[in-house]
Amino acid sequence: MRVVIQRTGHASVTINGICKSAIGKGLMILVGIEETDGKEDIDWLCKKIVNLRVFDDENGIMNKSVLDINGEILVISQFTLHASTKKGNRPSYIRAAKPEISIPLYKQFCDELSLELGKEIGTGEFRADMKVELLNDGPVTICMDTKNKE
């Protein structure tokens, strides 16, 4: 699994002109799933994400997690995170999991992340044409891939 995590002042996802989810201060997460991903990837990422110290403490040092600040999380599925640009100019998405694999894993990831956070998270809609807005606070953007844990 690949994620792009952005610290937000606020973020939202709109589908067909209707706001599906919106959050205030917290994290917006773009998640890409590949065929070899599973429960172990989900567990590792969820624990890592909620404990990631990317929010300022009273001294202005990034020393607090989304849990510590009682922040919110918005998760958006994004198969393009597995784009390969090695050949030509048109990206290949061959590594992105097919819907029959990625949809259940996406739902499982969101459910597990919600449990770790201790409250409901916002989500987009899998395979929808989404309009995503965010105020990237900092900016702080972190990329993680469960295939590169070390």
Side-chain angles (χ1 to χ4, degrees):
M1 290 181 106
R2 271 190 194 153
V3 293
V4 174
I5 302 164
Q6 295 179 299
R7 186 176 75 179
T8 67
H10 60 82
S12 65
V13 59
T14 301
I15 304 166
N16 296 325
I18 299 167
C19 182
K20 165 107 171 48
S21 297
I23 64 167
K25 188 173 184 171
L27 301 172
M28 188 188 77
I29 301 166
L30 304 173
V31 60
I33 299 167
E34 61 182 303
E35 303 245 345
T36 59
D37 291 332
K39 176 106 172 80
E40 182 181 314
D41 299 286
I42 291 169
D43 292 345
W44 183 82
L45 265 180
C46 289
K47 284 180 181 27
K48 205 67 160 152
I49 289 168
V50 297
N51 291 297
L52 200 60
R53 297 185 314 178
V54 294
F55 295 93
D56 292 350
D57 64 14
E58 52 284 341
N59 298 314
I61 297 169
M62 285 197 287
N63 207 23
K64 290 190 173 193
S65 70
V66 69
L67 284 171
D68 295 331
I69 66 153
N70 195 29
E72 299 177 280
I73 294 178
L74 174 62
V75 177
I76 307 294
S77 63
Q78 179 125 22
F79 76 94
T80 60
L81 290 180
H82 286 291
S84 173
T85 56
K86 289 181 181 177
K87 291 183 184 176
N89 293 317
R90 182 171 185 215
S92 168
Y93 304 106
I94 195 118
R95 287 189 54 207
K98 305 274 185 279
E100 56 273 10
I101 292 171
S102 56
I103 291 172
L105 287 174
Y106 171 74
K107 288 179 180 174
Q108 190 177 359
F109 175 73
C110 291
D111 290 345
E112 181 70 26
L113 197 53
S114 183
L115 280 173
E116 291 284 338
L117 187 62
K119 60 182 164 183
E120 197 146 327
I121 63 168
T123 62
E125 185 176 310
F126 201 87
R127 297 183 83 184
D129 180 16
M130 297 176 277
K131 307 303 179 207
V132 180
E133 292 187 59
L134 82 141
L135 175 65
N136 189 326
D137 181 19
V140 173
T141 302
I142 296 172
C143 301
M144 291 195 297
D145 190 323
T146 58
K147 305 304 182 248
N148 297 317
K149 292 178 189 172
E150 272 108 67

